[in-house]
Amino acid sequence: MTASTEKPRTGSYEMDRAHGLTHADVFGSLTFTGDVMLKRLPTDVFDKLQRTIRQGLPLDPGIANTVAVAMKDWATEHGATHYCHWFQPLTGTTAEKHDAFLSTDGPDGATSTISGEDLIVGEPDASSFPSGGIRDTYEARGYTAWDATSPAFILTSADSATLCIPSVFVSYHGEALDKKTPLIRSNHAVSDQALRILSVFGADAGVTHVHTTLGSEQEYFLVDRSFYQARRDLQICGRTLIGSPPPKGHQLDDHYFGAIPARVMAFMTEVEHRLCELGVPVKTRHNEVAPGQYEIAPTFENTNVSADHQMLTMHVLETVAEDHGLVCLMHEKPFAGVNGSGKHNNWSLSSDNGVNLLNPRDETHTNMQFLVFLTAVIRAVDLHADLLRASVAYAGNDHRLGANEAPPAIISVFLGEMLSDILDQLEQGDPRSTKKGGSLDLGAKTLPLIPRHAGDRNRTSPFAFTGNKFEFRAVGSTATVAWPNTVLNTIIAESLDFMATELEQRVGGDRSPERIERIVTSLLQEVVKNHRRVVFDGDNYDDSWHAEAERRGLPNLRSTADALGALRTEKAKKLFAKYAVLSEVELDARVEILYERYYKVVEIEARTLVSMLRTEILPAALRFQTELAGTVTATRSAGLDCEDTRDQLQGLIGLVGELRTAADAVEEAETSPPEDMVAHASHVRDALIPAMKRARAAADALERVVPDDLWPLPTYAEMLFIR
Ligand code: ADP
Ligand code: MG
């Protein structure tokens, strides 16, 4: 909901502060939704639009003109001069092409307009976006289409304001060329199947739609802008390609949840203010594990809106950081050897009357409907662990998955004590009890007795049940959440379809509660037996889990090059096509882009690395070599012994030699890739990345011996600790 009073605002943070406006005052003030819509649209138009937004019903094109004019009036009152269709192409970023409201064809000179058609479709010459071969460059036509279910908003930057209309992006033939179209399709697929389950339980009365819900926590690093400007690797690749670990990392755990530094707090406050204006329900902020690392998390929303809000969150973090002389690093692993960043994807299912379908409630063992949804998730993750893994596979995330700070590449489900106990009971017969958490006595009478959850948390699991939702923790911090959620929704839709079909067939006409309970229990028992291997409540960081997972037959797809193959299987093609999420052509296109991005990203890193080694590191090392050689000569000519310095010089010359050889090896691996896309990715994994690691080791060894005043780059210690 928006702020109750609609104040014309220009998005000036400083003015808001001067007028004492709080986050709550400005919440949603730059979005066309809720109260604003209600006030500015005729009732029938408002109602029709709400039915599309809330109940997933088809959009009535007849209302477009009225909505367009109201939106334009509202936006111009807030200083907007332009509008754009704002969409998420397959680059993994957002795109916008602005058009002025100004129109000069009228007989009276200039007017300010936007028509219903302008609102509903756009036709950018978008030939330069990746299409994965769906479209040749000479076939430039693509369409953007209004997604009325995500609120339009005004984006301000410098002195300009632009009305952004959330949109999808498709080809001339209607193939999805963006991340949102399949996400929206996958939401419908989940809804259709979830409604069938509700209907088996007679719980579908008054429910027209089931939403997936999403709250994604964003981790990020902040570094001072001057350091960023002095590092080519950060500028080009978003991560450091060389750099020796600082003497102190997060060993003392004194940064995590620590007091937020004043400069960072000023940054966070402005970020939250701006996100509130855009209707993003930001909620939580804290220091993260690594020095210089932080987190921001919103309250969950329906997945489609949440996915747009997530993109806005990254945009606002990056732009506000600049105003504060900082740079926000969103990369999964900006600093080797230091905790990386993820984007925990909290996901659940909710009916349109607001019931969370993954809420176990008190006597969980009797809550058959919940258990059906729960086991459907377990089944989906077991059958399609490879697809979930592939959905988070890209070069940046490879540094993080399995690096003892994030879950391994093995996808498993954590359920916790209470639910695992119910699965045990199910495997042995009818479940008869639900474990209770009880309460916790803190041993001091002035402290309260606190209610305890029925199970502990597990921070090491890639897919953890956390009370009334699942937390998919393998998503990387730069990810566009639309894609992993598209995959998640699709595999869930398939599982719900399976469960619904089995139940419908077995239940038949006789729907007495006892009969339904008996049939549901036996189906649950079968599914639990077949798929329990994917459930693991232990420590996913422990090495023994790798062996155990292998024994259980769970896939362990370590790198992107290993993981992407899952999206090329017949199983995957059939699945996405069956639920009308992606046709085979659309899926193939995406896979091609994912492979291409993988090797292109690593190759850009490789070239950046070689240029830094040759033009920054090597010259610094040679300068030191000259200094040392000078010392040796001068000392000797003074008639003194200089063996130690001579040895030091000898050692340095050795390291310089290693660096030269390693840089040559990176260059060679980078310039000779195979033609075929899959072979190219394997070559990057097997030859280029190891060569880069060796070069990095050589550079880092030099960093430890070359004097500070000769070292050309800001060090890890400077970047992480100077704020
Ligand atoms: P943490 O995992 O760091 O302890 P929190 O428990 O504070 O984080 O919450 C994580 C996220 O889960 C928040 O964004 C919250 O809105 C989201 N969340 C809570 N309930 C749901 C739900 N039903 N569906 C989706 N996300 C949810
Ligand atoms: Mg979390």
Side-chain angles (χ1 to χ4, degrees):
M1 264 307 181
T2 50
S4 50
T5 48
E6 194 193 334
K7 300 174 189 158
R9 302 201 45 263
T10 55
S12 162
Y13 172 63
E14 288 71 24
M15 263 170 40
D16 287 347
R17 299 238 319 178
H19 288 97
L21 295 183
T22 65
H23 295 344
D25 292 324
V26 302
F27 188 76
S29 56
L30 295 181
T31 62
F32 189 75
T33 177
D35 287 0
V36 179
M37 256 187 201
L38 184 63
K39 221 166 85 184
R40 289 175 178 262
L41 294 175
T43 315
D44 60 320
V45 174
F46 177 81
D47 288 345
K48 282 182 180 162
L49 194 53
Q50 287 299 316
R51 278 201 286 277
T52 298
I53 295 171
R54 301 210 178 278
Q55 298 169 1
L57 297 176
L59 177 71
D60 175 354
I63 65 173
N65 263 326
T66 314
V67 178
V69 171
M71 241 191 226
K72 190 254 324 173
D73 288 345
W74 167 78
T76 46
E77 282 166 33
H78 286 74
T81 53
H82 289 65
Y83 70 95
C84 71
H85 275 187
W86 182 83
F87 58 102
Q88 299 182 19
L90 295 171
T91 52
T93 55
T94 56
E96 45 193 84
K97 178 185 167 203
H98 298 190
D99 278 304
F101 287 127
L102 184 75
S103 158
T104 48
D105 349 297
D108 307 322
T111 53
S112 179
T113 53
I114 169 176
S115 71
E117 200 182 322
D118 295 334
L119 173 64
I120 291 185
V121 298
E123 198 239 301
D125 172 0
S127 51
S128 293
F129 289 115
S131 73
I134 281 188
R135 211 173 43 167
D136 289 314
T137 18
Y138 67 88
E139 299 171 315
R141 231 181 254 280
Y143 296 104
T144 52
W146 179 33
D147 169 17
T149 60
S150 182
F153 55 92
I154 296 172
L155 212 52
T156 56
S157 114
D159 281 337
S160 72
T162 307
L163 168 66
C164 297
I165 300 165
S167 300
V168 297
F169 178 46
V170 298
S171 75
Y172 181 69
H173 300 288
E175 289 116 346
L177 292 175
D178 69 343
K179 306 235 177 184
K180 285 288 298 290
T181 308
L183 177 67
I184 295 171
R185 292 174 182 161
S186 74
N187 278 331
H188 288 301
V190 170
S191 180
D192 293 347
Q193 304 306 329
L195 286 172
R196 287 173 64 200
I197 304 275
L198 291 182
S199 146
V200 169
F201 288 98
D204 56 337
V207 180
T208 43
H209 195 78
V210 170
H211 298 286
T212 59
T213 49
L214 173 66
S216 39
E217 307 160 48
Q218 174 77 50
E219 296 176 339
Y220 59 92
F221 279 84
L222 290 175
V223 297
D224 190 279
R225 190 156 186 82
S226 61
F227 297 138
Y228 174 84
Q229 279 163 340
R231 295 214 43 146
R232 217 178 292 172
D233 48 5
L234 283 184
Q235 288 171 35
I236 298 175
C237 312
R239 75 176 181 103
T240 58
L241 299 170
I242 49 183
S244 177
K248 175 179 181 245
H250 54 82
Q251 296 91 339
L252 304 179
D253 291 329
D254 49 354
H255 179 74
Y256 190 51
F257 286 8
I260 299 171
R263 182 177 177 200
V264 174
M265 188 62 111
F267 157 81
M268 285 179 171
T269 311
E270 180 168 351
V271 165
E272 289 165 1
H273 193 92
R274 292 194 177 278
L275 286 172
C276 280
E277 289 174 338
L278 293 167
V280 182
V282 279
K283 177 91 179 156
T284 308
R285 63 184 182 205
H286 60 80
N287 287 5
E288 252 305 325
V289 171
Q293 192 186 28
Y294 306 92
E295 177 177 307
I296 181 168
T299 300
F300 68 94
E301 300 176 276
N302 90 53
T303 302
N304 186 39
V305 175
S306 189
D308 281 353
H309 283 171
Q310 222 296 305
M311 296 309 281
L312 281 176
T313 301
M314 292 198 282
H315 170 77
V316 169
L317 284 169
E318 283 172 341
T319 49
V320 172
E322 275 181 39
D323 297 340
H324 289 252
L326 296 162
V327 172
C328 179
L329 300 175
M330 217 72 75
H331 197 281
E332 283 72 17
K333 197 74 176 176
F335 305 100
V338 175
N339 194 64
S341 299
K343 178 144 41 199
H344 296 172
N345 191 94
N346 295 275
W347 174 97
S348 190
L349 294 163
S350 168
S351 61
D352 60 354
N353 51 7
V355 177
N356 180 352
L357 302 177
L358 287 174
N359 183 353
R361 297 207 296 270
D362 278 349
E363 298 300 322
T364 308
H365 67 286
T366 63
N367 189 348
M368 288 291 143
Q369 184 186 301
F370 164 79
L371 291 173
V372 168
F373 282 107
L374 178 82
T375 47
V377 174
I378 295 171
R379 179 183 173 277
V381 177
D382 183 37
L383 283 179
H384 304 294
D386 58 339
L387 292 179
L388 270 188
R389 168 66 185 96
S391 78
V392 295
Y394 48 93
N397 214 17
D398 281 1
H399 299 284
R400 181 180 155 264
L401 291 182
N404 244 15
E405 55 178 43
I410 309 162
I411 302 288
S412 65
V413 179
F414 169 85
L415 289 181
E417 221 173 302
M418 184 273 277
L419 292 181
S420 286
D421 175 60
I422 292 180
L423 295 202
D424 288 342
Q425 295 184 52
L426 261 173
E427 281 193 301
Q428 283 145 28
D430 288 344
R432 304 209 173 274
S433 64
T434 300
K435 276 197 174 180
K436 296 284 181 326
S439 50
L440 205 55
D441 183 347
L442 303 183
K445 48 182 188 218
T446 49
L447 295 176
L449 209 62
I450 53 176
R452 186 167 61 176
H453 294 89
D456 203 351
R457 286 209 187 203
N458 181 325
R459 297 206 332 134
T460 68
S461 174
F463 204 84
F465 186 75
T466 49
N468 58 6
K469 62 187 190 286
F470 277 97
E471 184 171 1
F472 183 23
R473 300 174 71 250
V475 182
S477 48
T478 55
T480 311
V481 287
W483 176 232
N485 285 290
T486 299
V487 174
L488 179 56
N489 290 346
T490 309
I491 68 174
I492 299 291
E494 191 272 338
S495 231
L496 292 174
D497 179 5
F498 168 84
M499 305 289 271
T501 306
E502 289 294 316
L503 290 174
E504 284 160 1
Q505 278 170 4
R506 295 185 198 187
V507 170
D510 176 1
R511 299 209 154 200
S512 64
E514 300 74 35
R515 193 174 133 76
I516 290 186
E517 185 167 332
R518 237 188 5 265
I519 287 168
V520 169
T521 307
S522 80
L523 176 63
L524 291 177
Q525 285 165 338
E526 287 168 34
V527 175
V528 169
K529 272 203 183 79
N530 291 336
H531 301 287
R532 193 158 185 189
R533 64 171 190 161
V534 80
V535 176
F536 179 65
D537 282 0
D539 181 359
N540 296 65
Y541 292 0
D542 200 282
D543 284 342
S544 62
W545 168 232
H546 287 246
E548 167 68 13
E550 197 177 333
R551 203 184 51 72
R552 294 188 189 187
L554 302 180
N556 185 1
L557 303 162
R558 287 189 173 80
S559 82
T560 300
D562 305 315
L564 290 181
L567 293 165
R568 308 181 77 219
T569 59
E570 278 309 304
K571 179 190 90 159
K573 287 177 187 167
K574 284 206 180 102
L575 174 77
F576 287 107
K578 178 166 181 195
Y579 296 95
V581 173
L582 289 169
S583 68
E584 193 170 329
V585 173
E586 289 171 323
L587 180 63
D588 280 347
R590 246 148 254 261
V591 173
E592 193 178 311
I593 292 168
L594 288 167
Y595 271 101
E596 219 177 77
R597 285 199 82 74
Y598 173 65
Y599 55 71
K600 281 186 180 165
V601 164
V602 182
E603 283 163 0
I604 290 168
E605 290 181 345
R607 289 195 292 274
T608 309
L609 176 64
V610 170
S611 89
M612 288 172 77
L613 297 180
R614 296 233 166 98
T615 65
E616 295 184 292
I617 306 306
L618 194 59
L622 292 178
R623 251 171 242 148
F624 184 40
Q625 187 176 318
T626 313
E627 253 182 35
L628 282 180
T631 308
V632 172
T633 323
T635 313
R636 277 194 184 144
S637 60
L640 295 168
D641 175 48
C642 196
E643 278 318 287
D644 285 354
T645 312
R646 206 199 73 95
D647 290 351
Q648 193 185 354
L649 177 59
Q650 190 73 62
L652 180 69
I653 291 171
L655 290 178
V656 167
E658 278 169 33
L659 185 81
R660 282 203 173 101
T661 314
D664 290 347
V666 173
E667 196 165 56
E668 179 171 344
E670 193 271 312
T671 42
S672 55
E675 280 278 308
D676 172 70
M677 121 187 139
V678 177
H680 193 157
S682 306
H683 170 78
V684 160
R685 175 197 60 200
D686 300 334
L688 186 55
I689 291 175
M692 289 170 70
K693 283 196 176 137
R694 286 193 292 273
R696 172 182 197 127
D700 292 354
L702 279 167
E703 186 184 336
R704 288 190 284 273
V705 298
V706 172
D708 246 7
D709 62 332
L710 293 180
W711 193 252
L713 302 174
T715 63
Y716 271 29
E718 288 166 327
M719 288 185 283
L720 292 168
F721 288 101
I722 298 181
R723 288 190 276 273

